Amino acid sequence: MIAIVSKNLACLYSRHKSSVSSALSPYFFSTWGERQSVTCPWVYELLLHKHRFSAEVASQVASHLDLQISPENADSVLSFLKESGCSSTQLEKIVKYRPQILSHCVEDIKLKIKIFLDLGLSAEDTAKMISNNQTILHLRAESYIIPSLSVLKGLLGSDSDVARLLRKSAWPHVHNLDSTLMPNVELLKSVGVPMERILFLLYSYPRALLVKPDTLRKSAEKAREMGFNESSKMFVHALRIIAPMSKGMWEVKLQSFQDMGFSESDTFTMFKNFPAVLCISMRKIEKAKRLLLAAGNFNMASIVDFPQSLGYSIEQRLVPRLQILESKNLIKRPSLATMCTLPDDNFFERFIRPHLTEVGEEFVPKRCVKDKN
């Protein structure tokens, strides 16, 4: 079968390729345990053998294309993206996301890549950006990409600042910035949020600034009602949690905390101390809560006072340290905050080394010991 397709592929690149293309019928390729229907055999061959795609991705892409795509154009698109700095893995992500990229005009793709290179991004930066946000290559340069970059430059002040933002996130190209970002920036400035805090959101949590302005206004009001000061760091942290979350999801989260034994007051206290607590999965919170309470030295009030404890790795931080502190009950136990936040070497020096003989090395996880001598 492969031999037949290879022969057909060779014909496609010959002077008679168009007549052969119309004669091809769907083939089947055995890939990852299933037989995948492939409507474009030559695409499968091109991706698998010339551009070194995995058989799985090559089959998936070839099964979503028709025979109208030009072999030369598809090869040119792939070759140009590879020359522009895309690795094999990045190329697979781009093509798998939307196989129709193989039918795009190469000159159009070159223009988009050039826009980002001229902005100050390196070839590596650009390849990473378009592979992480494949939508960019499917947007019109004149009506979407260039206007978006112009809005960002007006806000940030320079091409280098825009390039810095794009290195962290490629989101600006898939949103109408004139109707979301700019009104939201003005809204936050009007209620007293310092520009440095707004830029923090822009660089670190852009989704919070891309909601509808009315949504952000209501979110800011809710944060203020909960006691957050608009000029504080915690206000923007609260905002970035509240703004993208629907009212229904907010209520589900609050109910879940109550189901785990936290009062409504406890939940709001935890949110005020650590807004990201609402981003932690309920399963992880329940598991961490049970573990901490079972240790015997911490109670619900301890968790409410330091909700960050629920966000630490259970396997790599909580379990090893609780095991050490509980071993033979020899060590004076620290507060929950101290137990969670101390770096490994400091934790070892403060709570393990003085009692190493009594505790025994079998109680000391390797992660907590960098130098016992």
Side-chain angles (χ1 to χ4, degrees):
M1 178 64 73
I2 296 297
I4 295 174
V5 175
S6 297
K7 182 178 180 181
N8 286 334
L9 180 64
C11 292
L12 284 171
Y13 281 96
S14 72
R15 69 183 61 183
H16 304 296
K17 57 184 175 298
S18 60
S19 60
V20 177
S21 296
S22 62
L24 285 173
S25 58
Y27 285 79
F28 287 84
F29 292 91
S30 179
T31 55
W32 60 101
E34 298 180 0
R35 297 185 65 80
Q36 180 80 12
S37 176
V38 173
T39 55
C40 258
W42 65 263
V43 170
Y44 178 88
E45 287 286 287
L46 179 69
L47 298 179
L48 183 69
H49 296 297
K50 181 171 182 179
H51 295 284
R52 304 301 179 185
F53 278 40
S54 68
E56 177 180 349
V57 173
S59 182
Q60 288 177 353
V61 172
S63 67
H64 288 86
L65 292 173
D66 57 44
L67 298 176
Q68 302 303 313
I69 293 179
S70 161
E72 292 91 341
N73 191 82
D75 186 43
S76 295
V77 168
L78 293 166
S79 297
F80 173 71
L81 290 174
K82 191 177 295 184
E83 292 166 4
S84 298
C86 290
S87 66
S88 297
T89 301
Q90 290 171 332
L91 204 56
E92 281 195 359
K93 287 177 65 177
I94 293 169
V95 177
K96 183 180 178 181
Y97 167 75
R98 194 176 292 176
Q100 287 74 16
I101 188 67
L102 298 180
S103 66
H104 282 209
C105 173
V106 178
E107 293 304 316
D108 182 56
I109 296 176
K110 287 182 179 180
L111 170 62
K112 294 169 186 175
I113 298 296
K114 184 177 185 300
I115 289 172
F116 296 113
L117 294 177
D118 290 347
L119 195 66
L121 293 174
S122 66
E124 182 181 357
D125 291 333
T126 304
K128 181 179 178 180
M129 183 179 65
I130 62 176
S131 65
N132 288 336
N133 191 337
Q134 304 91 342
T135 306
I136 293 173
L137 292 178
H138 299 271
L139 296 174
R140 293 183 180 276
E142 295 80 5
S143 59
Y144 230 115
I145 296 178
I146 294 175
S148 292
L149 294 177
S150 178
V151 169
L152 291 174
K153 183 176 180 180
L155 178 63
L156 299 176
S158 68
D159 286 347
S160 61
D161 286 327
V162 175
R164 177 189 165 206
L165 174 62
L166 297 185
R167 290 187 188 99
K168 300 192 67 173
S169 173
W171 58 262
H173 312 291
V174 294
H175 295 272
N176 187 338
L177 303 187
D178 281 323
S179 64
T180 54
L181 177 63
M182 297 312 296
N184 285 336
V185 168
E186 293 303 317
L187 170 66
L188 293 182
K189 287 167 63 177
S190 71
V191 299
V193 179
M195 194 61 193
E196 64 182 273
R197 306 273 191 255
I198 297 174
L199 292 179
F200 167 77
L201 278 179
L202 182 64
Y203 281 107
S204 303
Y205 305 101
R207 284 185 61 203
L209 292 173
L210 297 174
V211 298
K212 294 179 179 179
D214 187 57
T215 299
L216 188 67
R217 179 183 58 78
K218 293 177 180 178
S219 300
E221 290 174 355
K222 179 181 288 188
R224 185 167 54 248
E225 290 169 0
M226 295 176 69
F228 292 95
N229 185 294
E230 290 89 342
S231 62
S232 70
K233 290 182 180 180
M234 295 305 289
F235 182 85
V236 293
H237 280 291
L239 204 60
R240 63 105 174 174
I241 301 299
I242 298 172
M245 191 179 296
S246 68
K247 181 180 179 181
M249 181 55 66
W250 176 266
E251 293 174 351
V252 167
K253 292 277 188 180
L254 296 184
Q255 184 59 52
S256 297
F257 276 96
Q258 291 184 41
D259 293 342
M260 287 187 286
F262 295 101
S263 68
E264 184 175 342
S265 176
D266 288 339
T267 304
F268 284 126
T269 297
M270 289 192 292
F271 181 72
K272 190 171 182 180
N273 291 337
F274 181 53
V277 71
L278 290 190
C279 293
I280 306 171
S281 74
M282 293 299 112
R283 180 178 299 180
K284 183 176 187 295
I285 289 175
E286 176 65 21
K287 187 175 181 180
K289 185 203 74 173
R290 289 183 179 181
L291 182 67
L292 292 170
L293 295 180
N297 225 48
F298 306 115
N299 53 30
M300 293 288 279
S302 304
I303 298 173
V304 171
D305 289 340
F306 189 69
Q308 291 89 333
S309 61
L310 301 172
Y312 284 95
S313 168
I314 292 175
E315 292 75 19
Q316 297 181 7
R317 179 63 60 109
L318 298 185
V319 170
R321 295 193 175 190
L322 287 172
Q323 179 186 22
I324 294 167
L325 296 176
E326 291 171 3
S327 61
K328 301 183 182 181
N329 207 27
L330 292 174
I331 304 173
K332 181 179 179 180
R333 304 189 185 199
S335 68
L336 181 57
T338 299
M339 187 198 77
C340 292
T341 58
L342 276 181
D344 287 340
D345 52 353
N346 292 348
F347 185 86
F348 173 75
E349 291 295 333
R350 185 169 173 182
F351 295 105
I352 301 176
R353 186 186 288 278
H355 307 278
L356 192 58
T357 302
E358 299 96 323
V359 173
E361 292 197 16
E362 69 273 17
F363 291 97
V364 183
K366 293 180 180 179
R367 180 179 175 83
C368 293
V369 182
K370 290 187 176 181
D371 181 15
K372 300 194 299 291
N373 300 316

mmCIF file of all heavy atoms in Angstrom, residues 57-98:
data_model
loop_
_atom_site.group_PDB
_atom_site.id
_atom_site.type_symbol
_atom_site.label_atom_id
_atom_site.label_comp_id
_atom_site.label_asym_id
_atom_site.label_seq_id
_atom_site.Cartn_x
_atom_site.Cartn_y
_atom_site.Cartn_z
ATOM 1 N N VAL A 57 -0.063 11.889 13.877
ATOM 2 C CA VAL A 57 -0.432 13.239 13.464
ATOM 3 C C VAL A 57 -0.569 13.318 11.942
ATOM 4 O O VAL A 57 -1.501 13.953 11.428
ATOM 5 C CB VAL A 57 0.605 14.268 13.963
ATOM 6 C CG1 VAL A 57 0.306 15.650 13.387
ATOM 7 C CG2 VAL A 57 0.600 14.325 15.485
ATOM 8 N N ALA A 58 0.335 12.660 11.216
ATOM 9 C CA ALA A 58 0.256 12.680 9.748
ATOM 10 C C ALA A 58 -1.074 12.107 9.277
ATOM 11 O O ALA A 58 -1.719 12.644 8.366
ATOM 12 C CB ALA A 58 1.413 11.887 9.157
ATOM 13 N N SER A 59 -1.515 11.035 9.911
ATOM 14 C CA SER A 59 -2.777 10.410 9.539
ATOM 15 C C SER A 59 -3.963 11.298 9.890
ATOM 16 O O SER A 59 -4.920 11.432 9.111
ATOM 17 C CB SER A 59 -2.908 9.057 10.229
ATOM 18 O OG SER A 59 -4.098 8.412 9.859
ATOM 19 N N GLN A 60 -3.920 11.931 11.072
ATOM 20 C CA GLN A 60 -5.006 12.817 11.484
ATOM 21 C C GLN A 60 -5.149 13.990 10.519
ATOM 22 O O GLN A 60 -6.259 14.358 10.126
ATOM 23 C CB GLN A 60 -4.754 13.330 12.904
ATOM 24 C CG GLN A 60 -4.934 12.287 13.986
ATOM 25 C CD GLN A 60 -4.609 12.831 15.361
ATOM 26 O OE1 GLN A 60 -4.133 13.953 15.494
ATOM 27 N NE2 GLN A 60 -4.861 12.042 16.389
ATOM 28 N N VAL A 61 -4.023 14.585 10.163
ATOM 29 C CA VAL A 61 -4.061 15.739 9.254
ATOM 30 C C VAL A 61 -4.561 15.315 7.876
ATOM 31 O O VAL A 61 -5.429 15.971 7.281
ATOM 32 C CB VAL A 61 -2.660 16.376 9.141
ATOM 33 C CG1 VAL A 61 -2.651 17.443 8.042
ATOM 34 C CG2 VAL A 61 -2.240 16.989 10.474
ATOM 35 N N ALA A 62 -4.033 14.223 7.373
ATOM 36 C CA ALA A 62 -4.407 13.761 6.033
ATOM 37 C C ALA A 62 -5.868 13.348 5.950
ATOM 38 O O ALA A 62 -6.453 13.340 4.868
ATOM 39 C CB ALA A 62 -3.513 12.595 5.615
ATOM 40 N N SER A 63 -6.462 12.998 7.078
ATOM 41 C CA SER A 63 -7.867 12.589 7.077
ATOM 42 C C SER A 63 -8.818 13.778 7.131
ATOM 43 O O SER A 63 -10.034 13.605 7.004
ATOM 44 C CB SER A 63 -8.137 11.644 8.254
ATOM 45 O OG SER A 63 -8.016 12.332 9.484
ATOM 46 N N HIS A 64 -8.277 14.993 7.336
ATOM 47 C CA HIS A 64 -9.120 16.183 7.422
ATOM 48 C C HIS A 64 -8.906 17.138 6.251
ATOM 49 O O HIS A 64 -9.318 18.292 6.306
ATOM 50 C CB HIS A 64 -8.858 16.927 8.742
ATOM 51 C CG HIS A 64 -9.411 16.229 9.940
ATOM 52 N ND1 HIS A 64 -8.718 15.245 10.609
ATOM 53 C CD2 HIS A 64 -10.611 16.351 10.575
ATOM 54 C CE1 HIS A 64 -9.446 14.805 11.618
ATOM 55 N NE2 HIS A 64 -10.603 15.460 11.624
ATOM 56 N N LEU A 65 -8.256 16.670 5.229
ATOM 57 C CA LEU A 65 -8.013 17.516 4.057
ATOM 58 C C LEU A 65 -8.632 16.888 2.823
ATOM 59 O O LEU A 65 -8.876 15.681 2.771
ATOM 60 C CB LEU A 65 -6.500 17.688 3.852
ATOM 61 C CG LEU A 65 -5.757 18.495 4.923
ATOM 62 C CD1 LEU A 65 -4.261 18.432 4.670
ATOM 63 C CD2 LEU A 65 -6.231 19.940 4.925
ATOM 64 N N ASP A 66 -8.871 17.722 1.816
ATOM 65 C CA ASP A 66 -9.372 17.185 0.554
ATOM 66 C C ASP A 66 -8.280 17.283 -0.504
ATOM 67 O O ASP A 66 -7.186 17.785 -0.257
ATOM 68 C CB ASP A 66 -10.641 17.919 0.103
ATOM 69 C CG ASP A 66 -10.419 19.423 -0.040
ATOM 70 O OD1 ASP A 66 -9.372 19.803 -0.602
ATOM 71 O OD2 ASP A 66 -11.286 20.205 0.406
ATOM 72 N N LEU A 67 -8.607 16.817 -1.669
ATOM 73 C CA LEU A 67 -7.593 16.718 -2.731
ATOM 74 C C LEU A 67 -7.357 18.028 -3.469
ATOM 75 O O LEU A 67 -6.582 18.078 -4.416
ATOM 76 C CB LEU A 67 -8.011 15.631 -3.733
ATOM 77 C CG LEU A 67 -8.121 14.213 -3.141
ATOM 78 C CD1 LEU A 67 -8.644 13.254 -4.193
ATOM 79 C CD2 LEU A 67 -6.776 13.742 -2.623
ATOM 80 N N GLN A 68 -8.022 19.103 -3.039
ATOM 81 C CA GLN A 68 -7.874 20.381 -3.729
ATOM 82 C C GLN A 68 -6.607 21.122 -3.320
ATOM 83 O O GLN A 68 -6.209 22.083 -3.977
ATOM 84 C CB GLN A 68 -9.098 21.265 -3.450
ATOM 85 C CG GLN A 68 -10.421 20.634 -3.861
ATOM 86 C CD GLN A 68 -10.439 20.250 -5.332
ATOM 87 O OE1 GLN A 68 -10.056 21.042 -6.190
ATOM 88 N NE2 GLN A 68 -10.873 19.021 -5.624
ATOM 89 N N ILE A 69 -5.986 20.699 -2.235
ATOM 90 C CA ILE A 69 -4.778 21.374 -1.764
ATOM 91 C C ILE A 69 -3.602 21.044 -2.664
ATOM 92 O O ILE A 69 -3.369 19.881 -3.013
ATOM 93 C CB ILE A 69 -4.464 20.972 -0.315
ATOM 94 C CG1 ILE A 69 -5.560 21.510 0.609
ATOM 95 C CG2 ILE A 69 -3.107 21.476 0.134
ATOM 96 C CD1 ILE A 69 -5.363 21.148 2.060
ATOM 97 N N SER A 70 -2.847 22.049 -3.025
ATOM 98 C CA SER A 70 -1.694 21.865 -3.895
ATOM 99 C C SER A 70 -0.535 21.237 -3.138
ATOM 100 O O SER A 70 -0.140 21.735 -2.068
ATOM 101 C CB SER A 70 -1.256 23.218 -4.463
ATOM 102 O OG SER A 70 0.061 23.175 -4.935
ATOM 103 N N PRO A 71 0.045 20.167 -3.645
ATOM 104 C CA PRO A 71 1.197 19.546 -2.984
ATOM 105 C C PRO A 71 2.367 20.512 -2.836
ATOM 106 O O PRO A 71 3.019 20.552 -1.800
ATOM 107 C CB PRO A 71 1.557 18.377 -3.912
ATOM 108 C CG PRO A 71 0.291 18.077 -4.636
ATOM 109 C CD PRO A 71 -0.390 19.403 -4.820
ATOM 110 N N GLU A 72 2.626 21.297 -3.902
ATOM 111 C CA GLU A 72 3.744 22.232 -3.847
ATOM 112 C C GLU A 72 3.518 23.296 -2.774
ATOM 113 O O GLU A 72 4.436 23.680 -2.047
ATOM 114 C CB GLU A 72 3.941 22.917 -5.205
ATOM 115 C CG GLU A 72 4.423 21.987 -6.307
ATOM 116 C CD GLU A 72 3.257 21.384 -7.071
ATOM 117 O OE1 GLU A 72 2.127 21.396 -6.537
ATOM 118 O OE2 GLU A 72 3.493 20.872 -8.185
ATOM 119 N N ASN A 73 2.271 23.788 -2.662
ATOM 120 C CA ASN A 73 1.974 24.827 -1.670
ATOM 121 C C ASN A 73 2.118 24.287 -0.260
ATOM 122 O O ASN A 73 2.693 24.940 0.613
ATOM 123 C CB ASN A 73 0.554 25.367 -1.881
ATOM 124 C CG ASN A 73 0.301 26.616 -1.050
ATOM 125 O OD1 ASN A 73 0.680 27.706 -1.452
ATOM 126 N ND2 ASN A 73 -0.313 26.466 0.110
ATOM 127 N N ALA A 74 1.595 23.077 -0.035
ATOM 128 C CA ALA A 74 1.704 22.463 1.294
ATOM 129 C C ALA A 74 3.158 22.286 1.692
ATOM 130 O O ALA A 74 3.564 22.599 2.825
ATOM 131 C CB ALA A 74 0.987 21.115 1.306
ATOM 132 N N ASP A 75 3.965 21.816 0.757
ATOM 133 C CA ASP A 75 5.387 21.620 1.040
ATOM 134 C C ASP A 75 6.074 22.955 1.290
ATOM 135 O O ASP A 75 6.931 23.070 2.174
ATOM 136 C CB ASP A 75 6.046 20.890 -0.130
ATOM 137 C CG ASP A 75 7.485 20.524 0.148
ATOM 138 O OD1 ASP A 75 7.771 20.049 1.271
ATOM 139 O OD2 ASP A 75 8.338 20.723 -0.737
ATOM 140 N N SER A 76 5.692 23.986 0.537
ATOM 141 C CA SER A 76 6.297 25.313 0.712
ATOM 142 C C SER A 76 5.960 25.897 2.077
ATOM 143 O O SER A 76 6.817 26.506 2.733
ATOM 144 C CB SER A 76 5.805 26.264 -0.391
ATOM 145 O OG SER A 76 6.244 25.831 -1.660
ATOM 146 N N VAL A 77 4.708 25.722 2.513
ATOM 147 C CA VAL A 77 4.298 26.219 3.831
ATOM 148 C C VAL A 77 5.112 25.548 4.929
ATOM 149 O O VAL A 77 5.657 26.210 5.817
ATOM 150 C CB VAL A 77 2.785 25.969 4.056
ATOM 151 C CG1 VAL A 77 2.423 26.199 5.519
ATOM 152 C CG2 VAL A 77 1.961 26.870 3.163
ATOM 153 N N LEU A 78 5.207 24.234 4.861
ATOM 154 C CA LEU A 78 5.949 23.483 5.873
ATOM 155 C C LEU A 78 7.429 23.850 5.876
ATOM 156 O O LEU A 78 8.031 24.056 6.933
ATOM 157 C CB LEU A 78 5.784 21.978 5.630
ATOM 158 C CG LEU A 78 4.372 21.423 5.836
ATOM 159 C CD1 LEU A 78 4.250 20.029 5.243
ATOM 160 C CD2 LEU A 78 4.028 21.401 7.317
ATOM 161 N N SER A 79 8.003 23.950 4.678
ATOM 162 C CA SER A 79 9.428 24.278 4.572
ATOM 163 C C SER A 79 9.714 25.676 5.097
ATOM 164 O O SER A 79 10.706 25.901 5.802
ATOM 165 C CB SER A 79 9.893 24.160 3.110
ATOM 166 O OG SER A 79 9.760 22.829 2.653
ATOM 167 N N PHE A 80 8.839 26.633 4.776
ATOM 168 C CA PHE A 80 9.059 27.997 5.255
ATOM 169 C C PHE A 80 8.960 28.070 6.775
ATOM 170 O O PHE A 80 9.788 28.724 7.425
ATOM 171 C CB PHE A 80 8.050 28.961 4.633
ATOM 172 C CG PHE A 80 8.131 30.342 5.228
ATOM 173 C CD1 PHE A 80 9.222 31.167 4.966
ATOM 174 C CD2 PHE A 80 7.144 30.796 6.101
ATOM 175 C CE1 PHE A 80 9.324 32.426 5.551
ATOM 176 C CE2 PHE A 80 7.231 32.050 6.687
ATOM 177 C CZ PHE A 80 8.330 32.874 6.411
ATOM 178 N N LEU A 81 7.965 27.435 7.362
ATOM 179 C CA LEU A 81 7.820 27.460 8.821
ATOM 180 C C LEU A 81 9.032 26.817 9.491
ATOM 181 O O LEU A 81 9.504 27.285 10.533
ATOM 182 C CB LEU A 81 6.531 26.753 9.241
ATOM 183 C CG LEU A 81 5.232 27.486 8.897
ATOM 184 C CD1 LEU A 81 4.021 26.623 9.229
ATOM 185 C CD2 LEU A 81 5.149 28.822 9.633
ATOM 186 N N LYS A 82 9.544 25.771 8.869
ATOM 187 C CA LYS A 82 10.734 25.120 9.422
ATOM 188 C C LYS A 82 11.944 26.052 9.305
ATOM 189 O O LYS A 82 12.729 26.192 10.250
ATOM 190 C CB LYS A 82 10.994 23.814 8.678
ATOM 191 C CG LYS A 82 12.041 22.922 9.323
ATOM 192 C CD LYS A 82 12.189 21.606 8.554
ATOM 193 C CE LYS A 82 10.932 20.778 8.623
ATOM 194 N NZ LYS A 82 11.092 19.465 7.954
ATOM 195 N N GLU A 83 12.088 26.711 8.171
ATOM 196 C CA GLU A 83 13.186 27.669 7.981
ATOM 197 C C GLU A 83 13.057 28.865 8.922
ATOM 198 O O GLU A 83 14.058 29.506 9.271
ATOM 199 C CB GLU A 83 13.196 28.159 6.530
ATOM 200 C CG GLU A 83 13.567 27.091 5.504
ATOM 201 C CD GLU A 83 13.235 27.522 4.085
ATOM 202 O OE1 GLU A 83 12.792 28.684 3.921
ATOM 203 O OE2 GLU A 83 13.401 26.700 3.161
ATOM 204 N N SER A 84 11.830 29.164 9.328
ATOM 205 C CA SER A 84 11.591 30.306 10.214
ATOM 206 C C SER A 84 11.860 29.994 11.674
ATOM 207 O O SER A 84 11.682 30.863 12.536
ATOM 208 C CB SER A 84 10.132 30.785 10.054
ATOM 209 O OG SER A 84 9.898 31.220 8.737
ATOM 210 N N GLY A 85 12.269 28.756 11.956
ATOM 211 C CA GLY A 85 12.656 28.415 13.322
ATOM 212 C C GLY A 85 11.780 27.412 14.030
ATOM 213 O O GLY A 85 12.037 27.069 15.188
ATOM 214 N N CYS A 86 10.727 26.929 13.376
ATOM 215 C CA CYS A 86 9.839 25.960 14.024
ATOM 216 C C CYS A 86 10.499 24.590 14.090
ATOM 217 O O CYS A 86 11.011 24.080 13.090
ATOM 218 C CB CYS A 86 8.518 25.841 13.266
ATOM 219 S SG CYS A 86 7.468 27.295 13.388
ATOM 220 N N SER A 87 10.465 24.007 15.280
ATOM 221 C CA SER A 87 10.964 22.646 15.445
ATOM 222 C C SER A 87 9.924 21.668 14.901
ATOM 223 O O SER A 87 8.790 22.053 14.590
ATOM 224 C CB SER A 87 11.218 22.348 16.918
ATOM 225 O OG SER A 87 9.989 22.351 17.647
ATOM 226 N N SER A 88 10.284 20.396 14.818
ATOM 227 C CA SER A 88 9.342 19.383 14.337
ATOM 228 C C SER A 88 8.111 19.318 15.227
ATOM 229 O O SER A 88 6.976 19.202 14.742
ATOM 230 C CB SER A 88 10.028 18.015 14.268
ATOM 231 O OG SER A 88 11.086 18.040 13.334
ATOM 232 N N THR A 89 8.342 19.415 16.535
ATOM 233 C CA THR A 89 7.221 19.370 17.481
ATOM 234 C C THR A 89 6.309 20.571 17.301
ATOM 235 O O THR A 89 5.078 20.443 17.309
ATOM 236 C CB THR A 89 7.740 19.330 18.928
ATOM 237 O OG1 THR A 89 8.568 18.175 19.104
ATOM 238 C CG2 THR A 89 6.592 19.281 19.928
ATOM 239 N N GLN A 90 6.899 21.750 17.154
ATOM 240 C CA GLN A 90 6.096 22.960 16.965
ATOM 241 C C GLN A 90 5.329 22.908 15.641
ATOM 242 O O GLN A 90 4.165 23.314 15.564
ATOM 243 C CB GLN A 90 7.002 24.192 17.011
ATOM 244 C CG GLN A 90 7.566 24.478 18.386
ATOM 245 C CD GLN A 90 8.628 25.557 18.371
ATOM 246 O OE1 GLN A 90 9.329 25.757 17.368
ATOM 247 N NE2 GLN A 90 8.763 26.278 19.474
ATOM 248 N N LEU A 91 5.977 22.388 14.616
ATOM 249 C CA LEU A 91 5.335 22.284 13.309
ATOM 250 C C LEU A 91 4.120 21.354 13.386
ATOM 251 O O LEU A 91 3.063 21.641 12.813
ATOM 252 C CB LEU A 91 6.345 21.765 12.281
ATOM 253 C CG LEU A 91 6.097 22.087 10.807
ATOM 254 C CD1 LEU A 91 5.977 23.582 10.603
ATOM 255 C CD2 LEU A 91 7.226 21.520 9.948
ATOM 256 N N GLU A 92 4.267 20.262 14.104
ATOM 257 C CA GLU A 92 3.153 19.327 14.279
ATOM 258 C C GLU A 92 1.975 20.011 14.979
ATOM 259 O O GLU A 92 0.818 19.824 14.591
ATOM 260 C CB GLU A 92 3.594 18.103 15.088
ATOM 261 C CG GLU A 92 4.369 17.084 14.296
ATOM 262 C CD GLU A 92 4.456 15.747 15.022
ATOM 263 O OE1 GLU A 92 3.928 15.638 16.149
ATOM 264 O OE2 GLU A 92 5.037 14.807 14.459
ATOM 265 N N LYS A 93 2.260 20.803 16.021
ATOM 266 C CA LYS A 93 1.195 21.498 16.749
ATOM 267 C C LYS A 93 0.439 22.462 15.839
ATOM 268 O O LYS A 93 -0.783 22.553 15.875
ATOM 269 C CB LYS A 93 1.774 22.266 17.941
ATOM 270 C CG LYS A 93 2.213 21.404 19.098
ATOM 271 C CD LYS A 93 2.831 22.231 20.206
ATOM 272 C CE LYS A 93 1.835 23.181 20.845
ATOM 273 N NZ LYS A 93 2.430 23.943 21.972
ATOM 274 N N ILE A 94 1.192 23.193 15.018
ATOM 275 C CA ILE A 94 0.589 24.185 14.130
ATOM 276 C C ILE A 94 -0.328 23.527 13.108
ATOM 277 O O ILE A 94 -1.459 23.968 12.878
ATOM 278 C CB ILE A 94 1.681 25.002 13.424
ATOM 279 C CG1 ILE A 94 2.437 25.873 14.438
ATOM 280 C CG2 ILE A 94 1.090 25.860 12.309
ATOM 281 C CD1 ILE A 94 3.689 26.516 13.889
ATOM 282 N N VAL A 95 0.151 22.462 12.494
ATOM 283 C CA VAL A 95 -0.606 21.805 11.427
ATOM 284 C C VAL A 95 -1.759 20.984 12.004
ATOM 285 O O VAL A 95 -2.858 20.952 11.435
ATOM 286 C CB VAL A 95 0.319 20.915 10.574
ATOM 287 C CG1 VAL A 95 -0.481 20.167 9.516
ATOM 288 C CG2 VAL A 95 1.403 21.759 9.911
ATOM 289 N N LYS A 96 -1.543 20.334 13.133
ATOM 290 C CA LYS A 96 -2.597 19.529 13.746
ATOM 291 C C LYS A 96 -3.763 20.391 14.196
ATOM 292 O O LYS A 96 -4.929 19.984 14.102
ATOM 293 C CB LYS A 96 -2.020 18.762 14.945
ATOM 294 C CG LYS A 96 -3.009 17.826 15.620
ATOM 295 C CD LYS A 96 -2.354 17.107 16.782
ATOM 296 C CE LYS A 96 -3.347 16.199 17.501
ATOM 297 N NZ LYS A 96 -2.715 15.513 18.666
ATOM 298 N N TYR A 97 -3.471 21.599 14.686
ATOM 299 C CA TYR A 97 -4.525 22.502 15.164
ATOM 300 C C TYR A 97 -5.522 22.806 14.058
ATOM 301 O O TYR A 97 -6.733 22.747 14.259
ATOM 302 C CB TYR A 97 -3.902 23.794 15.682
ATOM 303 C CG TYR A 97 -4.905 24.902 15.912
ATOM 304 C CD1 TYR A 97 -5.751 24.882 17.015
ATOM 305 C CD2 TYR A 97 -5.018 25.954 15.009
ATOM 306 C CE1 TYR A 97 -6.686 25.892 17.221
ATOM 307 C CE2 TYR A 97 -5.943 26.967 15.207
ATOM 308 C CZ TYR A 97 -6.778 26.936 16.316
ATOM 309 O OH TYR A 97 -7.697 27.924 16.505
ATOM 310 N N ARG A 98 -5.009 23.169 12.886
ATOM 311 C CA ARG A 98 -5.885 23.470 11.754
ATOM 312 C C ARG A 98 -5.151 23.107 10.463
ATOM 313 O O ARG A 98 -4.373 23.909 9.937
ATOM 314 C CB ARG A 98 -6.290 24.942 11.758
ATOM 315 C CG ARG A 98 -7.451 25.240 10.819
ATOM 316 C CD ARG A 98 -7.910 26.693 10.919
ATOM 317 N NE ARG A 98 -8.528 26.987 12.204
ATOM 318 C CZ ARG A 98 -8.937 28.210 12.561
ATOM 319 N NH1 ARG A 98 -8.777 29.214 11.724
ATOM 320 N NH2 ARG A 98 -9.487 28.405 13.737
#
